[in-house]
Amino acid sequence: MKKKIVVYIAASLDGYIARENGEIDWLESVEGEGDNGYEAFYQTCDAVVMGKATYDHVLKLISDFPYHDKKCYVFSRSSQGKDQYVEFVNESVASFLNNLNQDTKKIWLVGGADILADFLTAKRVDEFIISVIPVLLGAGIPLFKRGIPEINLKLTHMKQYGQIAQLYYEKE
């Protein structure tokens, strides 16, 4: 069975996932509802994948690693092996997915933009859940990098959490 790769992420209305310095303080500036569906989504995932910069940022932001109950993989060009929280990946997206445990059915692609571009280039993202935060940053780290392949998506549904619009897209 093919593994389902889901991007679940928040972005500003103008398409940024972080400020230029990587800060995400603006996410707290808008009122949502509860956890905006996060826990329900998280419980459906078997594994978490992220890039090294995102991993390093998570470790700086939070004292208790938030994904300790899931298998967590970090794509890195410099780190190898494992640490107390994650297994580092130094291979292509295709090779990683082919070698991944067969019990892993749904993978949350946490971010950031570089790892997302790698998965999009490999044509391995199946679903996008994007929480649009009604803030215009004007600059920052874009959700999608230049040069990714064209991919047609279908809007499957939307949810509203206070001022946050959560959009659900799947590959056509």
Side-chain angles (χ1 to χ4, degrees), residues 5-11 17 24 27 38 41-42 45 47-58 61-62 65-67 70-75 86 107-117 119 125 127-130 143:
I5 313 297
V6 180
V7 174
Y8 179 94
I9 198 162
I17 57 175
I24 55 173
L27 288 173
Y38 170 80
F41 167 76
Y42 183 72
C45 299
V48 175
V49 169
M50 67 185 80
K52 180 73 163 63
T54 298
Y55 177 59
D56 291 342
H57 197 69
V58 166
L61 286 177
I62 303 169
F65 188 68
Y67 315 117
K70 305 281 183 193
K71 190 70 177 160
C72 190
Y73 302 93
V74 172
F75 277 70
V86 304
I107 300 167
W108 174 20
L109 183 56
V110 175
D114 289 335
I115 191 67
L116 176 55
F119 272 75
V125 176
E127 183 179 359
F128 294 86
I129 303 171
I130 302 173
L143 174 56

Side-chain angles (χ1 to χ4, degrees), residues 4 12 25 37-38 43 51 54 59-60 69 75 118 130 156:
K4 185 174 186 176
S12 65
D25 58 307
Y38 170 80
Q43 292 307 319
T54 298
L59 292 178
K60 278 191 247 176
D69 59 332
F75 277 70
D118 291 345
I130 302 173
T156 59

Side-chain angles (χ1 to χ4, degrees), residues 73-155:
Y73 302 93
V74 172
F75 277 70
S76 174
R77 290 177 188 81
S78 58
S79 298
Q80 296 184 1
K82 296 180 180 183
D83 71 10
Q84 61 187 5
Y85 305 118
V86 304
E87 183 175 327
F88 295 101
V89 177
N90 308 97
E91 58 189 321
S92 71
V93 169
S95 177
F96 165 72
L97 292 173
N98 286 337
N99 295 327
L100 199 56
N101 182 319
Q102 293 302 312
D103 294 336
T104 304
K105 306 281 189 260
K106 186 173 180 181
I107 300 167
W108 174 20
L109 183 56
V110 175
D114 289 335
I115 191 67
L116 176 55
D118 291 345
F119 272 75
L120 289 171
T121 299
K123 298 184 181 349
R124 292 304 308 263
V125 176
D126 302 296
E127 183 179 359
F128 294 86
I129 303 171
I130 302 173
S131 295
V132 179
I133 310 301
V135 172
L136 298 172
L137 294 178
I141 300 170
L143 174 56
F144 300 108
K145 293 180 73 168
R146 289 185 177 269
I148 61 170
E150 182 175 321
I151 299 170
N152 293 319
L153 303 171
K154 177 177 79 171
L155 179 66

